[in-house]
Amino acid sequence: MAVSNGADTQAGIASEGIVPWAGVPLEYGDVRLVSTSDGLTAVEIHAPAAEARVYLQGAHIAGWTPREQAPVLWMGPSTAFSPGVALRGGVPVCAPWFGSGPDGTRQPNHGWARLRAWDLAEVRAAADGGVDLVLVLPANRPDADSTPAGLSLRLALHVGTNLTMVLTAANTSDHAVTPELALHAYWSVEARRTTLGGLDDIAFLDRVQGGERTASPFPGIEGQTIDRVYPMPAHITVHDPGHGRTIGLTSADATQAVVWNPGIEGCASAADLGADDWQHFLCVEAARVRDQAPTLEPGAEATLTLTAAVRQEPLPRLSDELVTVPDLPTRIIQFGEGNFLRAFVDWQVQKLNERTDFNGGVAVVQPLPVGLAAGLEEQDRLYTVQLQGLHDGAEVRSREVITALTTTVDPYRQWDTFLALAEDPETRVIVSNTTEAGIAVDPRDTAETTVPRGFPAKLTRLLQHRHEAGLPGFVIIPCELIDDNGRQLYEAVLTCARTFGLPEEFIAWVEQENTFCTSLVDRIVPGFPADDAPGIWRELGYEDRLLVSAEPFMLWVIQGPAWLDEVLPLRKAGLNVVITDDLRPYHDRKVYLLNGPHTTMASLARNAGLATVGDVMADDLFRNFLRAEMYEEIFPAIDLPEEELRAFADQVEERFQNPFVRHALDSIALNAISKFTARLLPIVNAHAARSGPLPRRIVLALAALLWTYSGTAPAAPVDAEETIARFAGVLEPGGVERVLGDQETWGQDLTQVPGLLDLVRADLERLQTDGVLALVRELRGSENSTEGR
């Protein structure tokens, strides 16, 4: 398949299709043409074996990243991707001369081939999961005044686990020509730590010092300019400890290897190099130049080949050999070892130790027979928390090894060790997150059960042991995502105590000496970044199988006594923690201001063709609509100061815009009716109770839900079949009234809310005739609708 580089390039690709190649299914990868804002066209490759980008100008390889590798080629951050401007980095094709040519007078530098538009002549799938490309530069393409007559160029590329480049120069004229050829590769390395293998025993030409030099080891790069020409050996190894890898280079026909780094002085004199760029690359290139350039008789060809293969050096596993671990007393017992607690509670304990004199650690109890205790011990109870997101408008990305875990206990195999946790008088706090089911009492747990199955029963036995040791009780703060979690856990413990026949003295001690706190937790924790982990490990320099990603934002609201600040001085450490005697307003703030707009998005934006929360926030129309919903409709229903609500709304908007989290609207739309009932219906009721106008944007979201569940809207409902069935016939006469009056669906008869039925009917009719955007546009608000933000 041939693709010209003319104005019809994009159209040609669209009609012929670069993919699938040779029958390879599209889902295994794709190749597409993309353009820069200045009009350069590139071939972009996403294949199972590698990703790459090749610009048609100069047949310039600007990127090559084998699967599970960091980028292998360096591209200059100051490179101008503009027609007629040489690209800095990657692999420039140097022809038909190298530098300023044999006589030192030729321009442009490194020849005209790198500035000309090549044609994409062939694309096909390779057996190793990569892609083969062929680009050609016909003899008549370059400017006549700078072209050796009749010279054409062809570059065949294999982009896969290895990168192979075969440059062919052909003489189609009637007289001999002598082109210089080079593949000027910029390898992405930490230059200060990089060494070269295969060149130590070879004499070389030093173009900086001048003249031939005898064989000597390659020097370390410390900012000096390096420009050396070696006879090409059989193999060159670029040792790059900064990325934990070696890059092996071979060539079947190159006569020279050029090694170049501009150093501090060279970067200072180059407009397209930054002052520190020399630290990030080393050029090791294949060449046939100067007295080694091939002379081609009419009809003859010469080739220049370079193959690169990357071998990843094994990374060490995270352990106390890599990190200094403090010796901490255990002050907290934690039931649960999952991603959330490790990125939320344990991360906060780390901050306590860094910022205050808390000096305490966490004993982690594995709540289920299968868990992470053994995995944590394999890494000496160390793991990395990666925070990614926006904070105060700036992009945040940080990584930190958590050293706050003092021990792990698997109670199914270490029951006595588990009970012994209660004997330490310095341990004052218990936290938990064992899922909603973990709060429930397991009926199989009895007085005779050796190792209880349920979390409440385990906690009861631990408290019993504490009581028998004559020690004070605990502060117990569950983090389970259920309403009134502290009260539920307290009642579950009392149920277990009575079921086990424990003495009234113990029950009184539980009630009087222990403080059960209800808490509200808020932090998005995507967990282990499976797709990105190998690359992150290489950047970290170690393998961490317990790495956990989270957003920067966190909030912990604890309903409990003020003296908790002395036991757990989280606020002293500057953490976003609230200790209050009434958690309900904060619960309402989160459910209504964070989760409520999510439900509105899923109801409306899905029917406008948007796919993610990020898409919604990037759309001015929807973003202003949601702002107006929060400020004008939700704020009045929450019993908190407006200044506090505004600050929280700003945080919510920033979290919605997090570029590292792809939150699909289809996911939010799951069980949308029950979510609307919990998150937005209370707002409708609050406005109705004040006999004020109903919240129009929320009413529109309700109408869009009815439209979605009718099965006639662009978006399909994501819910149980029995729930969807309740909306059958909603568009028929009397259908809206029947559905809104279904108390099983809404928990109340919505037809009794004054004015709601008529508004929903009208909105539903207009949604069907005018679509979502027309109604959202009418109710969108403006950039100034939240004046004072």
Side-chain angles (χ1 to χ4, degrees), residues 684-730:
V684 176
N685 288 330
H687 283 266
R690 287 193 286 267
S691 301
L694 294 179
R696 289 293 293 115
R697 298 168 186 86
I698 294 175
V699 172
L700 177 59
L702 174 58
L705 275 183
L706 268 59
W707 187 32
T708 300
Y709 278 68
S710 75
T712 64
V718 189
D719 214 322
E721 291 183 6
E722 57 268 27
T723 301
I724 297 173
R726 295 176 193 163
F727 292 80
V730 67

Side-chain angles (χ1 to χ4, degrees), residues 380-673:
D380 297 323
R381 299 171 299 284
L382 302 170
Y383 64 93
T384 309
V385 170
Q386 171 177 265
L387 300 183
Q388 297 185 117
L390 299 176
H391 180 66
D392 292 338
E395 191 171 289
V396 173
R397 189 180 186 192
S398 67
R399 293 167 182 159
E400 180 177 15
V401 175
I402 304 302
T403 60
L405 305 190
T406 56
T407 189
T408 63
V409 180
D410 178 355
Y412 299 91
R413 296 167 180 80
Q414 302 169 292
W415 182 248
D416 291 342
T417 304
F418 166 70
L419 291 178
L421 295 174
E423 300 171 5
D424 187 345
E426 293 194 73
T427 305
R428 297 283 310 280
V429 178
I430 294 176
V431 296
S432 68
N433 188 5
T434 57
T435 76
E436 182 175 349
I439 292 288
V441 175
D442 192 319
R444 296 172 294 180
D445 289 331
T446 68
E448 290 73 32
T449 304
T450 303
V451 180
R453 293 176 172 84
F455 161 49
K458 292 188 186 72
L459 178 57
T460 301
R461 291 300 190 190
L462 188 74
L463 294 176
Q464 180 187 8
H465 199 74
R466 179 82 163 189
H467 176 249
E468 292 171 351
L471 294 172
F474 292 104
V475 173
I476 302 169
I477 312 174
C479 299
E480 282 80 0
L481 299 176
I482 58 176
D483 196 34
D484 206 0
N485 47 27
R487 168 61 60 176
Q488 290 203 40
L489 183 55
Y490 169 73
E491 292 176 350
V493 167
L494 293 183
T495 297
C496 289
R498 294 188 175 104
T499 299
F500 299 165
L502 299 180
E504 288 298 324
E505 178 189 356
F506 167 71
I507 294 175
W509 178 86
V510 170
E511 295 174 329
Q512 299 167 15
E513 299 294 328
N514 294 270
T515 303
F516 287 78
C517 302
T518 288
S519 82
L520 171 74
V521 296
D522 191 3
R523 170 171 260 179
I524 297 172
V525 180
F528 181 71
D531 293 341
D532 302 326
I536 296 172
W537 291 344
R538 284 190 292 274
E539 293 176 14
L540 292 171
Y542 56 80
E543 180 182 313
D544 181 358
R545 298 178 189 175
L546 297 170
L547 172 73
V548 56
S549 288
E551 66 171 339
F553 176 87
M554 59 77 51
L555 169 67
W556 199 1
V557 182
I558 303 172
Q559 184 172 293
W563 52 258
L564 282 181
D565 270 328
E566 301 302 318
V567 177
L568 203 60
L570 297 164
R571 295 193 290 188
K572 184 179 178 182
L575 299 168
N576 191 18
V577 174
V578 175
I579 296 176
T580 178
D581 58 2
D582 184 8
L583 182 141
R584 180 55 54 181
Y586 298 95
H587 169 274
D588 292 348
R589 185 181 70 173
K590 175 181 182 288
V591 171
Y592 300 153
L593 271 179
L594 176 68
N595 303 131
H598 267 161
T599 298
T600 299
M601 291 182 197
S603 175
L604 293 169
R606 288 177 75 231
N607 283 307
L610 302 183
T612 68
V613 172
D615 293 341
V616 174
M617 299 310 293
D619 185 290
D620 290 342
L621 178 65
F622 272 100
R623 186 175 63 253
N624 290 333
F625 179 93
L626 290 169
R627 283 177 178 167
E629 178 187 58
M630 288 193 288
Y631 280 77
E632 298 173 20
E633 299 180 355
I634 298 177
F635 274 21
I638 304 176
D639 185 20
L640 283 173
E642 183 173 338
E643 182 179 350
E644 187 174 332
L645 293 176
R646 285 179 177 273
F648 188 78
D650 286 347
Q651 292 172 334
V652 166
E653 184 173 341
E654 192 167 65
R655 296 170 73 187
F656 285 169
Q657 294 172 326
N658 188 343
F660 299 102
V661 176
R662 190 184 186 280
H663 202 167
L665 296 180
D666 284 348
S667 174
I668 297 171
L670 178 66
N671 302 323
I673 297 301

Side-chain angles (χ1 to χ4, degrees), residues 150-152 168-173 175-177 179 294-303:
L151 184 69
S152 65
T168 302
N171 182 7
T172 59
S173 73
H175 59 275
V177 295
T295 296
L296 305 180
E297 297 298 328
E301 295 182 348
T303 61

Side-chain angles (χ1 to χ4, degrees), residues 62 80 100 108 177 182 195 314 316 343 357 398 468 492 522 530 574 610 631 700 736-737 749 757 779 785:
S100 54
V177 295
T195 59
D357 59 358
S398 67
E468 292 171 351
D522 191 3
L610 302 183
Y631 280 77
L700 177 59
V736 175
E737 185 172 1
D749 181 352
L757 177 60
L779 297 171
S785 66

Side-chain angles (χ1 to χ4, degrees), residues 49-52 64-67 69 72 126 128-132 157-165 187 246-248 250 306-311:
E51 295 186 350
W64 170 53
T65 306
R67 185 178 181 183
Q69 292 284 341
V72 183
D128 67 347
V131 177
D132 291 329
L157 300 174
H158 171 70
V159 176
T161 304
N162 296 343
L163 175 66
T164 298
M165 302 161 274
W187 305 109
T246 60
I247 305 170
T250 58
L306 181 61
T307 295
V310 180
R311 181 170 64 86

Side-chain angles (χ1 to χ4, degrees), residues 70-418:
V72 183
L73 295 173
W74 179 86
M75 280 300 296
S78 302
T79 294
F81 293 93
S82 300
V85 178
L87 305 184
R88 171 74 73 176
V91 187
V93 173
C94 302
W97 56 81
F98 183 76
S100 54
D103 59 6
T105 63
R106 298 191 183 184
Q107 293 295 324
N109 195 47
H110 287 316
W112 41 256
R114 66 190 305 204
L115 301 179
R116 299 295 182 265
W118 294 49
D119 291 333
L120 178 60
E122 188 176 339
V123 181
R124 62 179 182 274
D128 67 347
V131 177
D132 291 329
L133 305 177
V134 175
L135 299 100
V136 296
L137 185 60
N140 61 355
R141 178 63 55 79
D143 295 340
D145 60 355
S146 61
T147 308
L151 184 69
S152 65
L153 298 172
R154 179 180 188 272
L155 182 66
L157 300 174
H158 171 70
V159 176
T161 304
N162 296 343
L163 175 66
T164 298
M165 302 161 274
V166 181
L167 176 64
T168 302
N171 182 7
T172 59
S173 73
D174 58 2
H175 59 275
V177 295
T178 305
E180 293 185 298
L181 307 173
L183 293 167
H184 191 351
Y186 289 68
W187 305 109
S188 178
V189 299
E190 288 189 16
R192 287 181 181 273
R193 301 171 62 190
T194 296
T195 59
L196 294 180
L199 300 175
D200 290 355
D201 298 328
I202 304 175
F204 59 92
L205 172 65
D206 190 327
R207 288 160 52 88
V208 175
Q209 301 296 329
E212 294 283 347
R213 293 288 185 270
T214 58
S216 62
F218 185 76
I221 302 172
E222 295 295 340
Q224 77 278 27
T225 300
I226 293 176
D227 192 355
R228 298 180 169 194
V229 181
Y230 293 85
M232 186 70 184
H235 189 86
I236 300 175
T237 302
V238 182
H239 298 282
D240 177 22
H243 292 97
R245 67 189 178 193
T246 60
I247 305 170
L249 304 176
T250 58
S251 177
D253 43 31
T255 55
Q256 296 139 312
V258 179
V259 179
W260 178 76
N261 183 280
I264 297 170
E265 186 176 329
C267 284
S269 63
D272 57 354
L273 284 174
D276 295 327
D277 282 352
W278 64 271
Q279 299 186 47
H280 306 301
F281 70 84
L282 178 63
C283 289
V284 182
E285 51 200 281
R288 298 181 69 175
V289 300
R290 302 302 187 257
D291 62 339
Q292 300 296 313
T295 296
L296 305 180
E297 297 298 328
E301 295 182 348
T303 61
L304 176 65
T305 304
L306 181 61
T307 295
V310 180
R311 181 170 64 86
Q312 193 67 47
E313 301 292 342
L315 293 171
R317 185 82 175 269
L318 178 59
S319 71
D320 58 14
E321 294 183 359
L322 303 178
V323 178
T324 301
V325 180
D327 184 14
L328 300 171
T330 297
R331 301 195 188 279
I332 300 171
I333 298 172
Q334 175 175 297
F335 284 84
E337 79 292 51
N339 288 321
F340 179 79
L341 284 180
R342 290 189 290 112
F344 186 76
V345 171
D346 301 336
W347 177 86
Q348 290 184 73
V349 175
Q350 184 83 6
K351 298 302 153 190
L352 273 179
N353 290 332
E354 292 173 359
R355 301 172 183 175
T356 74
D357 59 358
F358 180 71
N359 189 42
V362 180
V364 173
V365 178
Q366 179 178 298
L368 299 173
V370 177
L372 297 178
L376 283 165
E377 289 297 332
E378 287 178 7
Q379 294 189 176
D380 297 323
R381 299 171 299 284
L382 302 170
Y383 64 93
T384 309
V385 170
Q386 171 177 265
L387 300 183
Q388 297 185 117
L390 299 176
H391 180 66
D392 292 338
E395 191 171 289
V396 173
R397 189 180 186 192
S398 67
R399 293 167 182 159
E400 180 177 15
V401 175
I402 304 302
T403 60
L405 305 190
T406 56
T407 189
T408 63
V409 180
D410 178 355
Y412 299 91
R413 296 167 180 80
Q414 302 169 292
W415 182 248
D416 291 342
T417 304
F418 166 70

